[in-house]
Amino acid sequence: MASTAGMVDRPRLVFKMAETGPNLLREVLENKGWVPYVEGETPYWNLAWKGSRFRKFEYEQCQPFQRLNHFPNTIVITRKDSLFRLLRTLKGIYGSAYDYFPVTFTVPGEFIRFVRFFTTEREAGSQSTWICKPADLSRGRGIFVFKELHELTYDCNAVVQRYIPNPLLISGYKFDMRCYVLVRSYSPLTVYLYDDGLARFATSRYDMSSLKNRFSHLTNTSINKFSPTLDTNKDEIGPGCKWQFSRLRAYFEQRGMDFGKVWDRIKGMIILTLLPVANQVTIHSESCFELYGFDILIDESMKTWLLEVNLSPALSVDADIDVLVKKPLLEDIISLVGIGDDDGERAMKHTQSLLSPPTRRKRWISDGKPSSTSSLPTLLPSIASRKYQHPTRDFPSQVGKFACIFPTPSLSKLMTCNQIPRAGDPQLKQMVAEIRRSYFR
């Protein structure tokens, strides 16, 4: 047996999350040697991950050896009603650059406006189809498609959008793209797009004469996993309801369709959507990061449409393909957010600096078990006044399958001190025009 004399135990990296998961993230972290935080026992944590946002004091107290998986003040893009109000305002300022979302009304606030618009279209002979979505629900809950005004019912804040009637179909089935976007910083804005993702299919053939068939019109996995045709072999799609992007790219290439052009447009849409958020994030900390799920629809003309931006996109595992996509995704996120092996040591030293001398001698070492649990701090409000300042640093251009899509050299020239100009600023107008030229060719 090899001698362990002289070896120094190093504190482990610690993650803090709810018992409900995401379990795949727990598995990824534990495979890397991380250990879970135990309330009242573990003296510190390095990564806190939750589905909802953190409270203000949690952001304020975050230390340089810690990471939070949300930024504050970004709800404007993850609630459907506020997202489309924002995009509508930006379209009014910057024109067709923001022409990547359907005609949208928020209800109940804009119900009268919608009725007038609906009536004017009908009188002109238009027979548009509409879709109603609750503003703050996920997984397809409460969504329905309708044609007649009397069919519109709602009991919460919602958006009513013109239904895109001509989606690109594969073997007669509708699909959308779940794109994974990681914002590493809002000051300066630093955005990464993951090269892989999920094409999510409806499980019944697309049929505009059957608007109430959710398996035909909705692509949410949480709905289609209950479809009676989920496991049947659906022509080119096969069993199940998801493809990796690699398979979708191959499908496009085999038919002479330009996936690269679609991918560029998606990059442009993501950047344009995130630009106005940068000035709303009041806490600029390297300790925060955010994973968004951008849902994109492609229509028959190959135009890309933004359907929604998801806070905490699902990391659950319903099929083998989820592991193939999401496990490497999470591994790359952990690499990208910059928690190093020495952050456990930094956390321990910081914790010990707050303790009385007798307590400092009690160490929580590499086996993950505390030597004493009676007086271990949990980094609560008492340390807020000792918060460290993060040094300014450059972020890598590529980590695993994450590629940095913002900033770019041409766009950086239009920023002052790495800050995004505010709406109405001539520099932001130039930036939007540059994005349109570069990505919407």
Side-chain angles (χ1 to χ4, degrees), residues 2 12 64 117 130 133 143 145 193 235 244 249 303 339 341-342 375 377 428 436:
R12 305 278 286 275
F117 187 91
W130 298 85
K133 307 174 183 178
I143 298 178
V145 184
L193 175 60
D235 297 334
Q244 283 185 259
R249 284 187 176 95
K303 179 175 179 176
I339 306 175
D341 292 338
D342 54 355
S375 57
L428 186 56
R436 186 180 180 191

Side-chain angles (χ1 to χ4, degrees), residues 246-260:
S246 55
R247 186 172 177 184
L248 185 64
R249 284 187 176 95
Y251 177 89
F252 273 53
E253 291 170 2
Q254 289 165 7
R255 285 153 184 79
M257 302 160 70
D258 191 346
F259 188 87

Side-chain angles (χ1 to χ4, degrees), residues 15 26 46 108 137 170 188 195 221 239 315 338 359 364 375 398 423 432:
F15 65 90
R26 189 187 309 275
N46 300 102
L137 293 181
I170 294 181
D195 191 56
T221 302
L315 297 172
T359 311
W364 188 76
S375 57
Q398 183 92 30
V432 170

Side-chain angles (χ1 to χ4, degrees), residues 78 80 134-143 178 214 220 222-223 308 310-314:
T78 57
K80 299 178 188 70
D136 202 25
L137 293 181
S138 59
R139 304 192 299 276
R141 291 173 293 174
I143 298 178
R178 165 61 58 87
R214 290 161 65 83
N220 307 74
S222 53
I223 290 173
E308 63 179 292
N310 294 271
L311 173 77
S312 297

